[in-house]
Amino acid sequence: MIWWFKARRIVPVLLPCLAGFVVIVALFSGVTVDFPSLLTGGSNDFLIMLLAPVPATSGLLLCLTSRLVESEAARWRPVHHYDALLITATVAFAAAVGCVAGWASGSGDAWSLGRNTGFLTGLMLLVHTAAPQGAVAVPVGWVFTVVFVGFDRFHRPYPWTVLPQPPTEPLSLTTALAVFAVGLIAHATAHPRL
């Protein structure tokens, strides 16, 4: 396990990314900016906190692609189990930070951080199995797709957007859990790709 921990570069890569996640949550809870909507011609209020999962997911993918291919080729090493634990722990950390931030600030949007991080992580892992080089752009791409085409003319998010939905919205939570589970399974069953 020690060689896996060092190979994945968890301390020098993932921990600073998670610290960036915490800073975004702490500084931008409830802060919105106006972005133009490509569908309605108006503008949408965009919560900066929707970007918080991006450093966490990007750092996680960088860790997962940092490999010792020869060492991981041995079937008796449970590399996929360790990776699954790392992925789950990262999303659980995001959920815990969101719960603490939601409780401390009273911001309802902070409670969605775990759901949003899980959804973006699962989406990224799914894309990574098919197109490893482009997977890191998936969370950013999804966020900006939501910003530009994810709201109707009454400024309500469409159901497919997941991220800006209220934390208690059951369809978004179910979708996020399903995408996370499928992404985790896809990552665990895929052959290592660089």
Side-chain angles (χ1 to χ4, degrees):
M1 175 148 177
I2 293 172
W3 65 269
W4 171 85
F5 190 81
K6 289 181 180 179
R8 290 297 185 265
R9 302 186 302 162
I10 294 168
V11 172
V13 173
L14 187 58
L15 292 185
C17 290
L18 293 177
F21 169 83
V22 171
V23 168
I24 291 171
V25 172
L27 295 179
F28 297 105
S29 181
V31 176
T32 61
V33 293
D34 285 338
F35 271 97
S37 172
L38 298 178
L39 296 180
T40 63
S43 64
N44 292 319
D45 288 339
F46 172 71
L47 281 166
I48 298 294
M49 204 170 350
L50 292 181
L51 286 170
V54 172
T57 56
S58 300
L60 177 63
L61 186 63
L62 183 56
C63 288
L64 293 173
T65 56
S66 299
R67 299 185 169 275
L68 293 175
V69 178
E70 297 81 19
S71 298
E72 294 181 27
R75 296 231 178 243
W76 55 271
R77 289 192 166 132
V79 175
H80 288 303
H81 292 91
Y82 295 153
D83 286 348
L85 182 63
L86 179 64
I87 294 165
T88 306
T90 301
V91 174
F93 175 79
V97 169
C99 289
V100 168
W103 176 77
S105 69
S107 168
D109 301 312
W111 292 97
S112 302
L113 283 171
R115 178 197 69 196
N116 293 349
T117 304
F119 175 75
L120 292 175
T121 299
L123 206 58
M124 179 184 69
L125 293 174
L126 279 170
V127 172
H128 185 258
T129 59
Q133 300 300 324
V136 74
V138 168
V140 174
W142 188 268
V143 168
F144 282 104
T145 299
V146 168
V147 168
F148 292 119
V149 296
F151 293 86
D152 65 15
R153 62 190 175 120
F154 301 108
H155 305 290
R156 292 181 305 227
Y158 291 114
W160 61 264
T161 58
V162 177
L163 303 182
Q165 296 291 338
T168 56
E169 210 282 310
L171 180 61
S172 295
L173 181 60
T174 304
T175 302
L177 288 172
V179 169
F180 177 70
V182 171
L184 193 60
I185 291 167
H187 178 77
T189 56
H191 296 298
R193 300 176 76 173
L194 298 175

